[in-house]
Amino acid sequence: MSVDYQALAVEGVQGLMPYQAGKPIDELARELGLDPDTIVKLASNENPLGPSPRALEAARDALSTLCRYPDGNGFNLKARLADRLHVGPAQITLGNGSNDLLEIITRSFADRDSEVVYSQHAFAIYALVTRAIGARGVEVPARDWGHDLDAMAAAVTDRTRLVFVANPNNPTGTVHGAEAIEQFLARVPAHVLVVLDEAYCEYLEGDAYPDGVELLSRFPNLIITRTFSKAWGLAALRVGYSVSSAAIADILNRVRQPFNVDSIALAAATAVLDDEEYLIRSREVNSAGLAQLSQGFDALGLSYIPSAGNFVAVDVGEEAGAVFQRLLAAGVIVRPVAGYGMPRHLRVSVGLSAENQRLLDALPDAINPVVDEVLHG
Ligand SMILES: *Cc1c(COP(=O)(O)O)cnc(C)c1O
């Protein structure tokens, strides 16, 4: 007699779809028989500069301790972060990427009887972790591609335990200013936790944007999550952190795995915080690349959502899936976002100037292959 083992999975898990990551360069190279060096990947919001030399050196030095367990409390990294953010080390929780924290937070504060509020077109992990624990996800329709904060505050009920806000949001790149975020926080009841996901905050320039950490003293129900994967250029190492009240951090630290961030990651993340120059260059390359992509899209007559992140969602028409495939064939990997309810868009991560140009050069034929097909058969 055969057993349907999938049917044994808990209900919330049975309905899950795996997270769709950007296609790895080596995978496309294998599939198309291409030289990996000729492939351009603009699909995972990675830092195109490559890692900081300081981070690399610290990672190499840490290799000599591979036989030891990491410091499960991440003392050095927390101390360095605490210093930088003007908070206490006890307010920081480290995660295996900030993804890990999003899951830890959800598992710590919500269960099958809970509702979790997030926006349409928001980062996919919020819905994924909510469903995985069997809680009810309440997806609030977006406004102009961004979070409708008024509607999100209004969606809070007696059952709501968590609200996720991505600022800026991925994949739309939309961002709310300080005033809008503060007004929103003032409307959310104190017993409902608000997770402010600031994965891209390092790219924001100017005073118009909120610094979640500064809001903590006024809104103790706030949890800020940040990452070393994007502007800090350490995506492979998986390091993120949250900043919250010490009481909330204490709960999160009970739930996380004891050694959720490894020694190499701890060493590299601690070291990169001393490389302010790297961060400045990351910002410069990003704003130049965003301008280059925007101008290129304008020239091609394509509309796009103005972005505050290191990526931009461009409207390539109804055949976005086919455009994505044709770009792959041309050796350019971008990200389809149909799974985010954006079937006309592709998300393009900002690369180096030559990489952005490769995409812009490949786009016309990928969008309009008809001419070629008529001419060549
Ligand atoms: C990339 C991203 C993260 C998580 O990245 P990690 O690599 O797990 O730190 C979290 N939130 C948003 C909105 C992101 O785009």
Side-chain angles (χ1 to χ4, degrees), residues 19 44-45 96-100 102 123 126 166 168-170 197 199-200 225-230 235 238-240 311 347:
Y19 178 77
S44 299
N45 302 349
N96 195 257
S98 57
N99 228 293
D100 188 26
L102 299 173
F123 188 49
Y126 312 147
N169 182 46
N170 167 21
D197 181 343
Y200 300 95
T225 58
R226 292 185 181 174
T227 182
F228 285 91
S229 299
K230 311 281 163 58
R238 317 302 307 124
V239 202
F311 56 88
R347 192 194 67 191

Side-chain angles (χ1 to χ4, degrees), residues 9-63:
V10 294
E11 196 185 325
V13 171
Q14 286 190 39
L16 290 184
M17 297 295 279
Y19 178 77
Q20 296 284 335
K23 196 176 190 62
I25 289 176
D26 285 342
E27 188 179 302
L28 183 65
R30 269 197 309 277
E31 287 172 5
L32 296 186
L34 295 173
D35 175 355
D37 290 341
T38 67
I39 294 175
V40 169
K41 184 183 176 208
L42 303 174
S44 299
N45 302 349
E46 295 150 344
N47 194 319
L49 286 175
S52 140
R54 289 207 195 190
L56 269 184
E57 192 191 344
R60 269 192 219 105
D61 289 347
L63 285 174

Side-chain angles (χ1 to χ4, degrees), residues 22-329:
K23 196 176 190 62
I25 289 176
D26 285 342
E27 188 179 302
L28 183 65
R30 269 197 309 277
E31 287 172 5
L32 296 186
L34 295 173
D35 175 355
D37 290 341
T38 67
I39 294 175
V40 169
K41 184 183 176 208
L42 303 174
S44 299
N45 302 349
E46 295 150 344
N47 194 319
L49 286 175
S52 140
R54 289 207 195 190
L56 269 184
E57 192 191 344
R60 269 192 219 105
D61 289 347
L63 285 174
S64 62
T65 64
L66 277 186
C67 56
R68 306 262 179 222
Y69 279 99
D71 172 6
N73 293 316
F75 180 87
N76 290 329
L77 178 54
K78 281 194 198 173
R80 188 68 189 75
L81 280 172
D83 191 43
R84 189 183 172 88
L85 303 172
H86 310 294
V87 298
Q91 292 180 258
I92 298 170
T93 310
L94 300 179
N96 195 257
S98 57
N99 228 293
D100 188 26
L101 286 158
L102 299 173
E103 186 182 338
I104 292 167
I105 291 164
T106 309
R107 283 201 288 129
S108 300
F109 291 100
D111 63 17
R112 293 180 57 90
D113 300 321
S114 312
E115 290 177 358
V116 177
V117 174
Y118 42 80
S119 174
Q120 181 189 19
H121 312 311
F123 188 49
I125 297 298
Y126 312 147
L128 206 121
V129 296
T130 299
R131 290 193 195 126
I133 62 155
R136 194 167 98 81
V138 178
E139 186 185 286
V140 176
R143 199 164 76 192
D144 301 330
W145 300 109
H147 292 19
D148 184 342
L149 293 175
D150 286 334
M152 289 178 75
V156 169
T157 71
D158 288 350
R159 298 197 151 199
T160 309
R161 295 290 172 272
L162 284 173
V163 182
F164 283 104
V165 174
N167 205 53
N169 182 46
N170 167 21
T172 58
T174 48
V175 67
H176 287 286
E179 212 178 295
I181 292 288
E182 286 175 44
Q183 278 171 10
F184 166 75
L185 290 171
R187 284 189 63 183
V188 176
H191 64 274
V192 174
L193 298 182
V194 176
V195 180
L196 193 57
D197 181 343
E198 295 189 333
Y200 300 95
C201 65
E202 293 86 358
Y203 292 109
L204 299 175
E205 288 177 84
D207 301 332
Y209 300 107
D211 174 342
V213 174
E214 283 176 9
L215 295 173
L216 269 173
S217 57
R218 279 159 57 206
F219 302 101
N221 57 333
L222 198 51
I223 306 177
I224 314 303
T225 58
R226 292 185 181 174
T227 182
F228 285 91
S229 299
K230 311 281 163 58
W232 290 111
L234 297 176
L237 291 179
R238 317 302 307 124
V239 202
Y241 59 94
S242 68
V243 190
S244 64
S245 68
I248 290 176
D250 175 42
I251 293 290
L252 302 180
N253 275 299
R254 295 182 210 180
V255 174
R256 72 176 174 86
Q257 285 185 37
F259 303 107
N260 60 341
V261 185
D262 71 66
S263 322
I264 318 283
L266 288 171
T270 308
V272 82
L273 289 173
D274 286 327
D275 198 350
E276 203 64 34
E277 218 160 284
Y278 179 81
L279 191 66
I280 291 167
R281 272 226 300 151
S282 300
R283 273 194 206 117
E284 285 169 357
V285 165
N286 193 59
S287 42
L290 273 179
Q292 181 188 5
L293 288 170
S294 310
Q295 284 161 20
F297 296 151
D298 284 339
L300 294 170
L302 300 174
S303 66
Y304 53 90
I305 307 171
S307 173
N310 65 345
F311 56 88
V312 54
V314 58
D315 182 339
V316 295
E318 276 166 31
E319 306 287 320
V323 175
F324 166 68
Q325 291 296 339
R326 288 186 209 110
L327 287 172
L328 285 183

